[in-house]
């Protein structure tokens, strides 16, 4: 496993802190449509002794999800991005198929241990929900069924997976967050283990894979270690976090303070042979970080780096018999 991180902001100071904590690579948001945009970001990351592991977030894919990319501009942009990733050697592109929004929370300062602040969601308050990665546009007014979403996803994969195979770039699907069947009049489809099994069967290829976001799967109510074993080799990227509750109402937690047996999760990744990037996802806001982006502040991330490294070091040889003296 390779310890990875998002950095917000991706400042030189934060990159240096990440390196000091043993982070090997960075995951960054869509840098722009040109090869030069990608090269510039990658070079800056490498200048700090890090690798660029993946692109995720703010992708040109929103009309594609709704089936209204009528001029094909988004499809062309996604194919070009995949080719560019292959050209510069970035192995992963993480995307989601939540139509009209992204991850959504109704609470940005729920109390956690010692007064740290975490995000939460409550469906009863969804009319006041805060979308943390969506702008108001005509897309938010579109309705769509699960059947149409699946059809749009299959059409998308049939177009881009051959490009990804040629470029040697793996597309990894992130689950819906929250993992509801419908949100704001739009169906959601990536909200169960069975959905992810269907995903990889739509266009069978090693380049059609899964981003295993532990917190979202925890909110689904599944057992995390057994789900990792079930999805197996299809998991090519991990968001390491935890959540307490259900799809309708949950709060996030410190990585060591939720319902999931995190050591058992790491053992499961070892058992399936996972050797890709694993990054701490949404982290608590700690003292002095009130002005930061909820879920993405740095002090909580530093805590998570050490916790993940400890779990990896403490469990990687768990199947090796101890030799008595």
């Amino acid at each position: 496993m390779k310890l990875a991180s998002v950095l917000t902001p991706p400042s030189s100071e934060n990159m240096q802190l990440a390196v000091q904590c043993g982070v090997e690579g960075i995951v960054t948001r869509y840098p722009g449509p040109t090869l030069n945009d990608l090269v510039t970001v990658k070079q800056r990351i490498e200048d700090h002794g890090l690798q660029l592991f993946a692109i995720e977030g703010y992708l040109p894919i929103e009309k594609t999800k709704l089936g209204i990319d009528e001029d094909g501009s988004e499809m062309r942009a996604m194919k070009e991005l995949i080719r560019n990733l292959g050209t510069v050697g970035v192995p992963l592109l993480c995307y989601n198929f939540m139509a009209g929004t992204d991850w959504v929370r109704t609470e940005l300062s729920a109390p956690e241990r010692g007064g740290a602040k975490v995000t939460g969601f409550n469906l009863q308050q969804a009319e006041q929900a805060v979308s943390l990665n969506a702008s108001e546009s005509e897309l938010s007014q579109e309705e769509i069924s699960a059947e149409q979403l699946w059809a749009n996803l299959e059409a998308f994969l049939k177009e881009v997976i051959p490009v990804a195979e040629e470029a040697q770039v793996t597309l990894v699907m992130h689950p819906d967050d929250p993992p509801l069947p419908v949100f704001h009049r739009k169906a959601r489809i990536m909200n169960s283990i069975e959905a992810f099994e269907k995903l990889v069967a739509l266009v069978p290829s090693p380049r059609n894979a899964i981003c295993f976001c532990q917190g979202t799967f925890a909110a689904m109510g599944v057992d995390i270690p057994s789900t990792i074993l079930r999805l197996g080799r299809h998991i090519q990227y991990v968001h390491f976090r935890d959540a307490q509750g259900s799809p309708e109402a949950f709060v996030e937690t410190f990585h060591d303070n939720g319902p999931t047996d995190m050591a058992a999760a790491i053992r499961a990744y070892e058992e399936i042979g996972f050797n890709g990037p694993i990054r701490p996802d949404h982290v608590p806001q700690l003292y002095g970080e009130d002005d930061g982006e909820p879920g993405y502040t740095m002090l909580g991330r530093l805590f998570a780096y050490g916790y993940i490294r400890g779990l990896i070091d403490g469990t990687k040889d768990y199947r090796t018999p101890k030799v008595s003296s």
Side-chain angles (χ1 to χ4, degrees), residues 58-78:
Y58 298 95
L59 301 174
I61 193 177
E62 298 308 314
K63 291 182 180 179
T64 299
K65 296 174 187 177
L66 293 165
I68 57 173
D69 180 29
E70 296 173 358
D71 63 359
S73 58
E74 284 194 345
M75 186 66 74
R76 289 191 296 273
M78 289 296 290

Side-chain angles (χ1 to χ4, degrees), residues 242-258:
D242 209 2
Q244 177 78 52
S246 67
E248 295 78 19
F250 61 84
V251 292
E252 303 206 56
T253 70
F254 273 98
H255 290 77
D256 67 335
N257 202 34

Side-chain angles (χ1 to χ4, degrees), residues 79-156:
K79 288 181 178 179
E80 188 65 16
L81 173 59
I82 293 167
R83 293 188 186 101
N84 289 343
L85 292 173
T87 297
V88 301
V90 177
L92 294 172
L93 176 60
C94 181
Y95 71 110
N96 67 67
F97 230 69
M98 291 178 276
T101 186
D102 206 291
W103 68 292
V104 175
R105 297 292 185 267
T106 56
E107 172 63 70
L108 303 181
S109 57
E112 233 280 10
R113 185 172 59 207
K117 298 176 182 179
V118 295
T119 68
F121 178 82
N122 189 309
L123 186 57
Q124 293 183 347
Q125 300 169 358
E127 290 302 317
Q128 291 81 41
V130 179
S131 175
L132 299 183
N133 185 17
S135 59
E136 291 296 328
S137 71
E138 72 279 1
L139 300 184
S140 65
Q141 305 305 315
E142 297 282 341
E143 295 186 26
I144 192 165
S145 67
E147 292 76 16
Q148 189 59 57
L149 272 176
W150 278 113
N152 294 347
L153 176 57
E154 183 174 12
F156 170 73

Side-chain angles (χ1 to χ4, degrees), residues 282-317:
H282 312 155
V283 299
Q285 285 179 278
L286 303 190
Y287 179 80
E289 295 189 301
D290 289 349
D291 293 335
E293 181 179 347
Y296 285 92
T297 46
M298 197 62 188
L299 293 181
R301 203 163 298 281
L302 298 180
F303 171 84
Y305 296 153
Y307 182 65
I308 294 170
R309 283 179 59 87
L311 287 176
I312 292 173
D313 288 345
T315 60
K316 62 184 176 183
D317 297 323

Side-chain angles (χ1 to χ4, degrees), residues 1-3 53 235-237 269-270 272-278:
M1 279 171 269
K2 302 177 181 70
L3 183 59
F53 282 155
I235 297 172
Q236 293 295 313
Y237 178 37
Y269 292 128
E270 294 280 358
I272 66 173
F274 173 72
N275 61 1
I278 178 170

Side-chain angles (χ1 to χ4, degrees), residues 34-75:
T34 71
L35 179 61
N36 187 61
D37 293 327
L38 182 60
V39 169
T40 299
V41 170
K42 183 172 184 285
Q43 186 60 58
R44 184 166 180 271
I45 289 168
E46 291 177 346
D47 286 345
H48 287 83
L50 295 157
Q51 301 175 59
L52 177 55
F53 282 155
I55 298 295
E56 65 173 287
Y58 298 95
L59 301 174
I61 193 177
E62 298 308 314
K63 291 182 180 179
T64 299
K65 296 174 187 177
L66 293 165
I68 57 173
D69 180 29
E70 296 173 358
D71 63 359
S73 58
E74 284 194 345
M75 186 66 74

